[in-house]
Amino acid sequence: MRASRLAQYSAALVFIGFLFYLPLVGIFAFGFSSEFSTLGDPDFWSGGFASKLASTLWFTVWQATTSTLLVVVTGMPIAYLLYRKRFAGQRAIRVLITVPFILPILVIAIAFSTFRKLNTGIAAVDAVITNPVFLIISAHVFINLALVVRTVGSTWLGLADSLDEAAALDGAGRLRTFWSVTLAQLTPSVVASATLVFAYTSASFAVVLVLGGGLVQSLETSIYESALIYLDLGKAAVLALCQLLLTALAFWLADAFGKQARIDFADSESGFDTDNHAAGHSTRKPVDKRDLPAIGFGLVIALFFVLPIWNVFQQAFTYGNTFSFTNFYNLLSGGSSGLLDISLGQALGNSVRNTIIATVASLLIGVAVAWLLVHTKRGLFNRILDFAYLAPIGVSTVLLGLGYLVTFSQEPFALRASWFVVPLVETLLALPLVVRMVYSALAGIERVLLDAARLDGANSAKLFWQIELPLIRPTIEVAAGFAAIIALGDFGASAFLAFGDQETLPLVLFRLFSHPGASNYGMAMAMSALLIVVTALTLLAVSLRTTRSIQR
Amino acid sequence: MKGHKLLKPIAQQKRSIPKFAYAALAVVALATASLTGCTANEGKTVTIATHDSFVISEAQIAEFKKETGLTLKVVRAGDAGELTNKLVLTKGTPIADAYFGIDNTFMSKATANGVVSTQQAVDFGDVCMNYDTYWFEENKVAAPTNWQDLVKPEYQNLTVVENPNSSSTGLAFLATTVAQLGESYGDYWKALKDNGVKVTAGWEDAYFTEFSGSSGKGSYPIVLSYSTSPAYEIREDGKPQTASLNENCFRQTEFAGVLKNAKHPNNAQKVVDYLLGDSFQSSIAESMYVYPQELYPNGIPADWAKWGKAANSTVGQDLNFDADREKWLDTFNSIFG
């Protein structure tokens, strides 16, 4: 390989190797060898840890599986109603179900924790809705519904009507048509979104931490507990290894099936608003009375959906059992007894700054690496680079945060002490996803286009800026969206690395929420309410803007 | 067309990476390399790492600045245990210059790991059993005089304690039993369990939900709490509803000091001196509900002087928490499942 190419590859590999793999190796090295480890004890495994590990692993897997199944079952009728039928308010509903996907996960966890205070008076119902496992799985469904609905819905929208009509001509009812005809066509997108949901829920941290109440542990929360509460890095390392294997498996599954998944936040790609005028009518028919079961189901889901959000708003506007704006006034101060080290404004500023840096950095690096991967021969170096940047796709935030805490605390690489470490970790968390998406997009560009341009004398810079980049712009926008979501909502890594005046919004929210005191709780609710409103309005604005630009 | 140079597979043609990619990598690399530098206002700020219950008012921060010219920044790092662990994990480049709130149950871990340079006691609190005097009057049962009485049959199903795994109050009481009873502490806990003791995750649940003598109006008239708690249950007749068993309590002492490898150790000492000074010490009781080390028995609210005095006798000062905590917790867990 030429020297310049070798240099490029080396730079990319050193970057990821130092900033990503080194901390990971650091945890394991530290954990398996350090004085903070009980691994040396002869009864490390027999003292209950083996069974605890097994039960934690089991819980992590089955709650992820259950959440995935539930969200798929729930998502199908909703996708049908929102993408195959037409009725007033569809856009608003689509925005509403996407809001939880974009919000910092901690806000969702806080919203669901309000169920613990609910008192229906019926013992059986109360027992269920205050059960931590029920809350955790419900929260997972709540967050990931949009993923399934939008993925399946986009595909469904594009399915030809003719097959359905042919089946109807043969006498098939709606359900029969769905079962025999539509489902087979939807399977790839269902599987793609389901594997992604499984991957996310198996790595769930904030939800289990807040809603589990210490009684229920997933692998992620166990790592957190072992490291920060018991300072047993040996246990943390073993748990981390299991975590790594599980989420790597989950994400590789998602990656294998996920190439067809196109998540569309702005309704721009799915052609939702560009109706087919070929036959003089739109392909989306209005709802009719045969859709009643779907509508009924949809209403139940809508109720379940609105309830946590309603609770948050209700608690936000309540102080001392009466309606009041006190919580919002308190937001401007520093919490009761100066509980917070920084003002909420500063925390928001930190979060926004980190998000912008992480998004921009992961895009720049991700595009560069994807470009390098696409435009070089698929040889050994190419494969190494590919693996190096994609393997971390499932690594948990807790793991990386702990790795940085442990590995980069000593001179000369005292990265941990700088404010930059949190956006850096967030960049690394988003990078594999960005690389994967941009790589697929770049690889999908037809060679003919590029060859024709070369014939006309374009060099690779021109090729990139004038042909490839414009073609992959939609993908870059979606990738940017994902990177921003990951960075803004990050809780696991910040919990280990963001101290004092570098605290981010989710951390401050968590502190307010978990410290006893009516005013702290109220402030957490008020902040959550504000975030929900801002997110919903932003989504709506983006959705409207893209429609207008399409119509122009 | 075949063999034409321009139509060779793209991969084999000469090209260079777009310049912006180099620029991007360079920017990120530079930023990464500059991570170790930059502390703004060297010598003018000082940082203190504390637990979540630390309280300092804006006025006190301003007073400190007036006295020393330094701006104080507070880093809250969880409860005492989490604070200690975070300090241990980051001891090479500590998150602050000074610390407040490592207590006597965690100090051995901190010193064993070489985390602290100095340690001075700044406040203390006594963990003692409290009971509801009204309940015992109404039910015509003689109130307990000592926590060892709680295994007696007349006190069945009356006691609520906190889980030592999750609560420092609970752990304090577990240590008390170890200190007082030696090897047979396990038997005491078994007897407690047989006598129907309730275990909650934290102090708030126990005191504000399960205890009958406080706002939760629960069903348990005996609770593990603090010697100051009765001062907060004063009723209309001017006397408290509850009382504290002040023999053989556990004294939780909190320390403040300078961290090893601190960037500004001299400034850190100034902070510690301020925390031990009269101004801060006289605010400790009301804001953090513990006794000021330097001022006690002065510097406490009037109600405390009457109803919330410190314990008459304490045990457990000589225990080695770092070495034995796991063992005690294992014993507890094996009994309470």
Side-chain angles (χ1 to χ4, degrees), chain B residues 139-179:
Chain B
N139 290 278
K140 307 221 189 319
V141 179
T145 54
N146 199 307
W147 54 261
Q148 278 147 315
D149 291 342
L150 299 180
V151 295
K152 292 199 182 131
E154 57 261 38
Y155 302 117
Q156 192 170 58
N157 298 330
L158 298 184
T159 312
V160 55
V161 298
E162 297 85 9
N163 190 325
N165 287 290
S166 49
S167 163
S168 66
T169 323
L171 181 65
F173 183 57
L174 181 58
T176 313
T177 59
V178 172

Side-chain angles (χ1 to χ4, degrees), chain A residues 8 36 228-229 231 338-339 341 405 409-410 414-416 418 420 454 460 464-465 499 501 511 515-516, chain B residues 10 13 15-17 20-22 28 35-36 52 73-76 85-86 88-90 92-93 95 113 204:
Chain A
Q8 293 155 10
F36 306 126
L228 279 193
I229 297 182
L231 204 62
L339 172 67
D341 299 328
L405 191 68
S409 274
Q410 319 290 328
L415 303 181
R416 188 209 55 73
S418 160
F420 191 72
R454 282 199 178 278
S460 39
F464 179 76
W465 288 108
F499 294 111
D501 63 358
R511 191 189 289 288
H515 213 82
Chain B
I10 289 185
Q13 294 183 4
R15 78 207 30 253
S16 56
I17 286 207
F20 89 91
Y22 279 125
V28 179
L35 291 185
T36 57
D52 284 344
K73 282 182 19 179
V74 178
V75 175
R76 291 191 172 82
N85 290 338
K86 280 187 188 155
V88 169
L89 284 172
T90 58
T93 50
I95 60 180
N113 285 293
E204 278 95 20

Side-chain angles (χ1 to χ4, degrees), chain A residues 5-325:
Chain A
R5 185 65 48 75
L6 193 62
Q8 293 155 10
Y9 265 92
S10 305
L13 282 173
V14 164
F15 178 81
I16 197 83
F18 179 71
L19 289 177
F20 194 101
Y21 288 96
L22 189 62
L24 278 190
V25 168
I27 303 181
F28 295 122
F30 217 81
F32 291 129
S33 73
S34 82
E35 68 262 40
F36 306 126
S37 164
T38 52
L39 263 181
D41 286 355
D43 48 13
F44 174 83
W45 290 100
S46 62
F49 180 60
S51 61
K52 178 166 187 253
L53 177 65
S55 65
T56 309
L57 183 62
W58 170 241
F59 174 72
T60 308
V61 169
W62 87 251
Q63 61 84 15
T65 313
T66 313
S67 306
T68 308
L69 286 173
L70 275 179
V71 81
V72 167
V73 163
T74 316
M76 300 288 269
I78 310 287
Y80 171 71
L81 283 175
L82 290 180
Y83 283 83
R84 280 304 265 194
K85 291 278 134 172
R86 166 203 294 282
F87 55 88
Q90 268 183 323
R91 180 193 305 277
I93 296 181
R94 270 182 297 123
V95 163
L96 186 68
I97 61 172
T98 313
V99 166
F101 191 70
I102 306 216
L103 278 177
I105 294 189
L106 190 66
V107 175
I108 313 288
I110 288 179
F112 271 79
S113 74
T114 58
F115 280 120
R116 285 205 282 247
K117 294 191 168 205
L118 222 58
N119 218 338
T120 59
I122 312 170
V125 174
D126 278 345
V128 167
I129 62 176
T130 54
N131 183 309
V133 179
F134 171 79
L135 291 175
I136 290 173
I137 295 184
S138 304
H140 285 158
V141 172
F142 188 77
I143 296 169
N144 292 296
L145 191 64
L147 196 62
V148 172
V149 168
R150 281 182 178 265
T151 312
V152 173
S154 306
T155 313
W156 210 333
L157 186 68
L159 293 183
D161 280 340
S162 47
L163 278 175
D164 286 7
E165 284 163 6
L169 265 178
D170 284 343
R174 293 269 173 92
L175 210 54
R176 185 74 208 280
T177 313
F178 172 75
W179 207 247
S180 312
V181 176
T182 325
L183 200 52
Q185 294 169 286
L186 289 178
T187 305
S189 58
V190 169
V191 169
S193 50
T195 47
L196 208 56
V197 170
F198 180 81
Y200 282 141
T201 50
S202 61
S204 178
F205 177 60
V207 165
V208 180
L209 189 69
V210 171
L211 297 173
L215 303 166
V216 184
Q217 300 274 5
S218 69
L219 280 175
E220 291 272 289
T221 56
S222 296
I223 297 172
Y224 178 81
E225 190 191 62
S226 296
L228 279 193
I229 297 182
Y230 294 112
L231 204 62
D232 189 334
L233 292 185
K235 286 209 177 106
V238 173
L239 288 163
L241 201 56
C242 289
Q243 220 287 336
L244 200 61
L245 292 172
L246 178 65
T247 53
L249 179 68
F251 268 98
W252 283 336
L253 274 176
D255 194 46
F257 293 105
K259 294 196 176 62
Q260 297 95 325
R262 266 166 46 236
I263 318 300
D264 165 33
F265 292 117
D267 292 331
S268 56
E269 279 193 67
S270 66
F272 190 91
D273 294 297
T274 54
D275 292 328
N276 177 4
H277 292 293
H281 60 79
S282 96
T283 54
R284 285 185 296 125
K285 306 181 184 52
V287 282
D288 55 40
K289 64 177 189 320
R290 287 171 65 194
D291 292 320
L292 263 165
I295 295 179
F297 185 79
L299 283 174
V300 169
I301 298 302
L303 181 69
F304 160 78
F305 225 75
V306 167
L307 205 51
I309 300 184
W310 167 254
N311 279 347
V312 171
F313 278 90
Q314 196 221 9
Q315 299 281 333
F317 285 101
T318 306
Y319 192 80
N321 292 325
T322 57
F323 181 90
S324 121
F325 287 100

